[in-house]
Amino acid sequence: MKARITLLIATMMIALTASAMPYTDARGKALFLSDKMAYELNLTASQYEAAYNINLDYLLNVDDESDLQGYIWENRNNDLKEVLSGSQYDKYLNCEWFYHPFTFNDNGWTLAVYDHYKDGQFFMGQTDTTRYLGQAN
């Protein structure tokens, strides 16, 4: 598990320099998406943290439309399959806004979860979410 986290952190650092989405945007979107996953899939604290890191890595690596369901997307799903229980992963697969997190429209890409939850609505406690944004508790 430590090796996997180290690899994930290294991948994130590499992605920071090549990402189409600025880090601060990706961080906020990963937090929002992971918060909704925690709520709907009943994630534990460690699952929430892992899902956040997986989602952040995915968002930082999406550069064009081919990435939305390509290799990067498959890696995200494989990583989440390792983190979630069987029943949680089944729910994840059936929640289209989690499984295919982006929608594409005339204005570009957007997270599908925003169609189901209003921006700024968080279910995790304020102290839980702000530490991921690098703010003081």
Side-chain angles (χ1 to χ4, degrees):
M1 184 69 172
K2 278 188 176 185
R4 185 161 188 77
I5 291 172
T6 303
L7 179 61
L8 184 62
I9 290 170
T11 303
M12 287 176 11
M13 296 307 293
I14 291 168
L16 288 176
T17 60
S19 174
M21 184 182 294
Y23 177 76
T24 55
D25 290 348
R27 185 177 58 180
K29 289 181 185 335
L31 178 65
F32 189 80
L33 178 60
S34 302
D35 179 81
K36 304 318 163 270
M37 291 175 74
Y39 174 71
E40 289 197 34
L41 304 177
N42 197 28
L43 302 183
T44 65
S46 62
Q47 286 176 315
Y48 173 78
E49 187 159 345
Y52 168 78
N53 286 315
I54 292 166
N55 286 326
L56 179 61
D57 183 50
Y58 173 70
L59 294 173
L60 288 170
N61 283 290
V62 171
D63 286 323
D64 59 47
E65 194 172 355
S66 68
D67 292 332
L68 300 182
Q69 293 185 37
Y71 177 75
I72 296 166
W73 176 73
E74 290 173 4
N75 281 345
R76 174 182 178 258
N77 291 332
N78 289 336
D79 289 346
L80 286 170
K81 190 172 188 174
E82 290 184 26
V83 170
L84 303 175
S85 70
S87 62
Q88 287 171 323
Y89 191 73
D90 288 343
K91 286 181 186 178
Y92 163 77
L93 293 175
N94 289 314
C95 283
E96 190 66 20
W97 52 93
F98 294 151
Y99 186 58
H100 293 107
F102 282 104
T103 58
F104 193 78
N105 58 36
D106 294 337
N107 297 328
W109 310 339
T110 185
L111 283 180
V113 73
Y114 289 116
D115 293 338
H116 301 277
Y117 296 97
K118 65 181 179 177
D119 195 10
Q121 176 186 17
F122 286 92
F123 295 102
M124 298 295 288
Q126 183 68 16
T127 57
D128 294 332
T129 56
T130 55
R131 72 186 185 126
Y132 291 98
L133 292 173
Q135 301 168 358
N137 288 338

